[in-house]
Amino acid sequence: MKILSPRVLWALERFNAAHPWDHNAHYHRWILRQLPRRFDRALDVGSGSGDLARLLAGRADTTEAVDSDPVIIGHAQKLTPSGLSVTFTVADAIAELPAGPYDVITCVATIHHLPFTLALTRFRRHLAPGGTLVIVGLSRASTPVEHLLGVVAIPANVAMGWFKNKGRPSRRPVSMTAPTRSADMTFADIVREARDVLPGARLRRRLFWRYTLVWNQP
């Protein structure tokens, strides 16, 4: 669906490159609001530079974080204070998840890199009874409402970039240096498959080209 001219897109790309901000980190505080104040074990899947894992470590007795990219894991380890109870491991999110169970599992902007249903099944198996799974994901726009949300997000994205960078050109944060890819699944497909694996899962479209999923293990 073509919405903006190539010239406008080029101008937006230049502005965003000069005023970058992390769309995923925008949801970290929201994620924390879905979780108990204290819990025993947490797992962050696709942890990137470790920003969310470090926040989880402020509430959890132990936090484990996995990512398949050794470079970004190296950055995460360097950015993490030695006294913080969080372990970063290079691991495949499907085949090599650390043994659970976990009271909290989070996964931000990662599940679209994985076989979706299989990933949800693995997360469910690793979640302790009463535990909470929180996912912030990306989906492919396919409906008028989704395209409208995308249009609304464009000026909001520009405003956030300007505000967070105080109007000055800035370098990309480390969290934005990990490999990325576009989403293939539509939100409707995500909802259908998620509720087959996680009955009662709560999903919602969000601004800045994201959706959220929250599920509590019975």
Side-chain angles (χ1 to χ4, degrees):
M1 181 176 181
K2 187 176 180 180
I3 299 174
L4 300 175
S5 70
R7 179 176 296 181
V8 172
L9 288 172
W10 177 80
L12 286 170
E13 287 174 2
R14 289 199 63 183
F15 180 89
N16 293 335
H19 304 83
W21 65 281
D22 189 342
H23 298 79
N24 300 319
H26 176 75
Y27 288 99
H28 287 175
R29 295 296 175 183
W30 176 87
I31 290 172
L32 293 179
R33 290 196 295 272
Q34 314 311 307
L35 306 177
R37 289 187 177 274
R38 292 295 307 175
F39 40 89
D40 184 13
R41 300 185 68 195
L43 173 66
D44 186 31
V45 180
S47 54
S49 59
D51 295 341
L52 177 57
R54 286 186 287 273
L55 291 174
L56 294 174
R59 294 191 182 187
D61 293 334
T62 59
T63 300
E64 296 181 64
V66 299
D67 199 293
S68 62
D69 179 13
V71 175
I72 202 70
I73 283 288
H75 288 307
Q77 291 168 334
K78 291 177 182 177
L79 291 168
T80 302
S82 58
L84 203 59
S85 182
V86 55
T87 302
F88 293 95
T89 305
V90 179
D92 182 277
I94 296 296
E96 302 174 311
L97 280 185
Y102 294 94
D103 303 290
V104 167
I105 297 177
T106 55
C107 182
V108 178
T110 297
I111 199 166
H112 67 290
H113 291 261
L114 308 172
F116 183 75
T117 299
L118 180 57
L120 292 184
T121 302
R122 291 294 171 88
F123 297 163
R124 185 188 65 196
R125 290 175 181 171
H126 282 70
L127 199 61
T132 303
L133 169 66
V134 183
I135 293 173
V136 177
L138 286 73
S139 61
R140 177 172 59 83
S142 63
T143 69
V145 169
E146 290 163 352
H147 286 295
L148 179 60
L149 278 174
V151 172
V152 170
I154 291 171
N157 183 63
V158 170
M160 289 288 282
W162 180 266
F163 173 76
K164 288 180 176 290
N165 291 285
K166 298 180 173 61
R168 297 188 295 268
S170 304
R171 297 178 62 182
R172 284 193 306 166
V174 175
S175 59
M176 294 178 65
T177 62
T180 61
R181 57 162 289 184
S182 299
D184 296 324
M185 294 179 67
T186 67
F187 183 71
D189 291 336
I190 289 165
V191 170
R192 183 180 64 255
E193 293 191 28
R195 287 179 175 162
D196 284 343
V197 180
L198 309 172
R202 304 184 297 281
L203 295 101
R204 181 178 172 183
R205 295 182 183 90
R206 299 284 179 174
L207 198 58
F208 304 124
W209 307 281
R210 300 294 188 270
Y211 71 87
T212 58
L213 181 157
V214 180
W215 184 71
N216 296 102
Q217 178 82 281

